[in-house]
Amino acid sequence: GARRRAQRRGGSPFPRPHAWLGKRRNTGEHERAATNLASSAFSPSSSWNTVPLAILLVALSGWSMALPTLFTKLGGRLNTYRVTSCVGMVASVTASLACSEKSFAALCVSSVLFALPSAAGQSFRFAVLSLVPARSRPKCIGLVLTGGIAGAVIGPLYAAAAKNMFADAPFAGVYVCTGVAFFLLLCIVSVPGLVTFPAEGGQEAAGGEKAPGGSEEPCGKSTDGKGESTEKKNAEPKNAPSVAVAASFARFGFVAAVAIAALSYGAMSFLMSPTPLTMRDRGFSFHEVSHVILSHMLGMYAPSFVSGGAVARFGWRPVAAVGAGLFVVASVVMHDGVSMKNFVGGQLVLGIGWNLCFVAATSEVAKVSMEEAENACMGIQSRSVKAAQKAKSAQRVQSAADVVTFAFAGAASVASGPALAKIHWREMQIVGWVCAGLMLVFVKVAGIKDARKEEDVRSTEKGEDKV
C-alpha cells in the first residue's frame, strides 16, 4: 500500500535516491578536517584555526533559511540540488587555490560557498517525508543518513591519498577530490528520471500524474457571491508559513527537539572540530587522524539503520535521552587520556550519541512541522493552492529549526579554537557533560508537559462522556 501510494504521488516507491544521495551530506566531512589543518598552516594565529569551519557552519544556518525560497525560485528541489552541486565544485576550486596561495581569506570564502551544498544535503532528511506514510517517517529519516556510511569508508582513503597530491599545496588535493565528488553528484541528479522527488505545490509529477492534493478544478472563474473570483481569493492565502512557524515554536515539544538538535550538534562541533589539530600537536600523522575521523563518521551514520526504527517504536524522547547519555560517556573517554584508543573510542561514541539525538529531534521537528503546516492551511479551499502552501509552510518550519541548530553549531565551532588555545583538551570535555545535562532536562520537561497534555485530553473526553 505504501508503495502504491508513493507511486501515485509521482515519486519512487521508496526513497531510493535519498539514501543514495545521502552521501552528499558528508562529502565535506573530510574536507572539514582538511580545512582545520590547512587553515592552521597560514591562519593569523592559533585562535583562528577553526574560524573557516565556524564560518561554514554559520553560513550553513543562513543558507538553511534561504532554501525554501531557492526551491521556489529554481523550480523545485531537483533543480536546486543541481545548482548547489555546481556551487560545491566552485567552492572546491576556491579552496584548492586558497591552499596553493596560502590565502586564509580565500579559504573563508570557500567555506561560505561550501555551506550551500551542505544545507541542501541536510534537507534530504526532510525531502523523504512526502514519500512515505507518517508511521514510517522516523525510520526513513534514519535511513537517509545511512548514505553517510559510504563516505565514512571512502573518505579517509581519498583524504589520506590526496593530501600530498600537490607538493607545494598540502590539502589542495583533498579539495580537488571533493570537487570531483560534487561533479559526480551533479551527473546523478541530471540524469532524467534517475532521481525523483514528489511534485509540490499542486504541480503535476513526472509522467503526467497528479501531485498530492491535485484537483480537477473548473477552468472557468467562479465567484463567492461578492463578485470576487474564488480563484483569485485562493491564490492569495494568508501568510501560512509564518503562522506555521509561530505555532510550531509555541509547542514546547518542538522547542525541546530543536534545542536537543542544536545542543547535540554544538557539542559535537566543539569536540570534533579541534580534534585534528589536537592530534597533530601530539605527533599523530594525518593517516591516524583519518582513522579517528572514520570512527567518528561511522558512529554518526551507522546507527541510522536502527535509530529511526527505535524512534518509531519507543518515541523520540527516550532515544534522545540515550543519546545524551552517550555524550557523557564520550567526554569521559576523551578526558581519560590522549592516546589513539581514547580518540578513536571517544569520537566513535560521540558520533553515536549525535546520531540518536539528531534523528530523534529531527523526527519530532518533522512531525510538528507537517501538523502545523496542515493547521495553517485549513482555511484554503483550492487544493492546488493548499498543497503549495502546505509544502512551503513545512519547509519554512524545518528551515527555521535548522537555522537554530547550525547557528549554535557554528558558535560552538568558533569557540573551540580559542578554547583549545587557552585551555587543555581534557578540560574542553566539560562542554560535553554540560550539553548532555541540558538535553536531559529538555527531555524530562517535554515528557512532563506531554503527560499533562494527555491527562487534560482524557479529562475532557470523560467530561464529554458524562454529558
Side-chain angles (χ1 to χ4, degrees), residues 171-184:
F171 302 105
V174 177
Y175 293 111
V176 171
C177 291
T178 301
V180 172
F182 277 116
F183 174 74
L184 294 176

Side-chain angles (χ1 to χ4, degrees), residues 252-266:
F252 186 83
F254 180 84
V255 173
V258 173
I260 289 170
L263 288 166
S264 62
Y265 223 120

Side-chain angles (χ1 to χ4, degrees), residues 343-430:
F343 283 114
V344 170
Q347 290 296 328
L348 174 64
V349 177
L350 181 68
I352 297 172
W354 172 84
N355 180 277
L356 297 180
C357 289
F358 196 64
V359 171
T362 297
S363 299
E364 179 66 9
V365 168
K367 180 177 76 72
V368 173
S369 67
M370 301 190 81
E371 289 176 354
E372 294 303 338
E374 177 72 30
N375 294 337
C377 298
M378 288 183 63
I380 301 175
Q381 301 300 318
S382 169
R383 291 186 179 180
S384 60
V385 174
K386 185 174 183 178
Q389 288 297 308
K390 280 175 60 178
K392 186 181 295 185
S393 299
Q395 290 168 4
R396 189 68 59 83
V397 174
Q398 294 154 8
S399 294
D402 276 355
V403 166
V404 176
T405 298
F406 298 123
F408 191 84
S413 186
V414 168
S416 66
L420 183 63
K422 295 182 181 300
I423 63 176
H424 295 294
W425 166 251
R426 290 183 174 181
E427 280 66 32
M428 291 180 65
Q429 306 310 313
I430 296 174

Side-chain angles (χ1 to χ4, degrees), residues 77-398:
R77 290 182 182 270
L78 194 56
N79 286 339
T80 303
Y81 296 149
R82 289 167 180 162
V83 170
T84 55
S85 295
C86 293
V87 173
M89 289 188 287
V90 173
S92 300
V93 172
T94 303
S96 297
L97 293 175
C99 292
S100 177
E101 301 298 325
K102 293 181 172 51
S103 172
F104 187 77
L107 195 62
C108 291
V109 171
S110 71
S111 293
V112 176
L113 296 175
F114 274 125
L116 177 55
S118 294
Q122 289 290 343
S123 71
F124 279 131
R125 71 192 200 278
F126 292 121
V128 72
L129 300 180
S130 54
L131 282 170
V132 296
R135 66 180 180 276
S136 300
R137 286 169 185 162
K139 184 176 181 179
C140 287
I141 288 172
L143 290 177
V144 169
L145 299 184
T146 60
I149 297 174
V153 175
I154 298 172
L157 300 178
Y158 87 70
K163 172 181 176 289
N164 297 315
M165 182 183 295
F166 304 102
D168 297 333
F171 302 105
V174 177
Y175 293 111
V176 171
C177 291
T178 301
V180 172
F182 277 116
F183 174 74
L184 294 176
L185 287 166
L186 176 62
C187 293
I188 291 172
V189 296
S190 297
V191 176
L194 179 60
V195 180
T196 58
F197 291 93
E200 295 173 341
Q203 301 173 351
E204 288 190 352
E209 296 182 6
K210 290 287 181 182
S215 60
E216 299 292 340
E217 296 189 25
C219 296
K221 296 183 178 181
S222 60
T223 61
D224 60 359
K226 300 180 181 179
E228 183 179 1
S229 169
T230 55
E231 180 181 340
K232 179 178 179 181
K233 183 176 180 180
N234 283 321
E236 299 175 355
K238 294 181 179 180
N239 193 2
S242 297
V243 173
V245 170
S248 297
F249 277 95
R251 296 171 60 167
F252 186 83
F254 180 84
V255 173
V258 173
I260 289 170
L263 288 166
S264 62
Y265 223 120
M268 186 193 69
S269 296
F270 187 84
L271 298 177
M272 178 58 198
S273 297
T275 297
L277 302 175
T278 302
M279 294 185 67
R280 183 204 60 182
D281 292 342
R282 283 164 173 75
F284 291 97
S285 66
F286 185 73
H287 182 71
E288 291 172 314
V289 172
S290 294
H291 278 295
V292 172
I293 297 173
L294 168 61
S295 68
H296 178 68
M297 292 175 63
L298 286 176
M300 288 176 65
Y301 300 114
S304 300
F305 286 109
V306 297
S307 56
V311 172
R313 181 173 181 178
F314 301 109
W316 75 275
R317 294 192 308 274
V319 175
V322 173
L326 290 179
F327 270 88
V328 175
V329 175
S331 293
V332 168
V333 172
M334 290 187 286
H335 183 273
D336 185 58
V338 289
S339 66
M340 187 67 179
K341 66 178 182 180
N342 291 109
F343 283 114
V344 170
Q347 290 296 328
L348 174 64
V349 177
L350 181 68
I352 297 172
W354 172 84
N355 180 277
L356 297 180
C357 289
F358 196 64
V359 171
T362 297
S363 299
E364 179 66 9
V365 168
K367 180 177 76 72
V368 173
S369 67
M370 301 190 81
E371 289 176 354
E372 294 303 338
E374 177 72 30
N375 294 337
C377 298
M378 288 183 63
I380 301 175
Q381 301 300 318
S382 169
R383 291 186 179 180
S384 60
V385 174
K386 185 174 183 178
Q389 288 297 308
K390 280 175 60 178
K392 186 181 295 185
S393 299
Q395 290 168 4
R396 189 68 59 83
V397 174
Q398 294 154 8

Side-chain angles (χ1 to χ4, degrees), residues 32-45:
R32 294 179 187 182
T35 295
N36 275 345
L37 293 172
S39 65
S40 67
F42 46 87
S43 63
S45 71

